[in-house]
Amino acid sequence: MKSHRFLLSVAVLSLSTMALAQSDAQKSFDKLKTLAGSWQGQITTIPPQAEMDGKVMQVSLRTTSMGNALMHEMTGAGRPDDPITILYLDGDRLLLTHYCDAGNRPRMVGKMSPDGKTVEFEFLDVAGSTQYGHMHHAVFTVVDADHHLEDWTFMVSGDKAIHARLDLQRTK
């Protein structure tokens, strides 16, 4: 009888540990879903990229697939590209897949900061060629309901990084 109680205790402890990890990913995802809407703001790049630096960008975030995915779409005046990023839960992980204008699809794993305001995505892997570079890192910081920051790191040939920061205000 004691061995059954011990096994039951171990099973409950194991399940609660798994639920805690999943709830951290779920909390991060739920935080990002509060950004659903239309946004606009300037982009700053380091090192400066003349075709982008200081330009106004529009970002659309919307939940899709019955709330199971968050689609991020970025456009800017005079820019022919329209990169799409999908954020979603995969078991106990929050994943991001970026459909890049460089012709590849990097995936990143997200974690929320202890203060609950920032979700940082670390590179996991990439499908497709990295000949023209790839997105390598992303950070979303919620300042308030109508203001958030996005930091994106793009790796080019020779492992040189281009950092882009968007300071976005909600337009609706």
Side-chain angles (χ1 to χ4, degrees), residues 9-101:
S9 297
V10 169
V12 168
L13 182 61
S14 297
L15 289 173
S16 66
T17 301
M18 288 184 343
L20 179 61
Q22 188 173 25
S23 71
D24 287 345
Q26 184 68 56
K27 284 182 204 175
S28 299
F29 188 52
D30 290 345
K31 182 68 163 185
L32 291 171
K33 287 197 292 187
T34 68
L35 298 176
S38 298
W39 300 82
Q40 181 173 296
Q42 281 194 321
I43 187 169
T44 305
T45 56
I46 300 172
Q49 304 296 301
E51 70 278 4
M52 291 189 312
D53 204 45
K55 302 281 194 262
V56 174
M57 303 296 285
Q58 287 77 38
V59 171
S60 169
L61 287 136
R62 70 179 177 96
T63 56
T64 187
S65 299
M66 300 290 291
N68 291 304
L70 180 64
M71 186 172 86
H72 178 284
E73 184 174 11
M74 188 182 334
T75 58
R79 298 226 11 110
D81 62 334
D82 184 11
I84 302 291
T85 302
I86 304 293
L87 302 99
Y88 54 96
L89 290 173
D90 181 27
D92 64 350
R93 301 183 305 174
L94 174 61
L95 294 182
L96 171 159
T97 300
H98 179 74
Y99 295 82
C100 193
D101 56 324

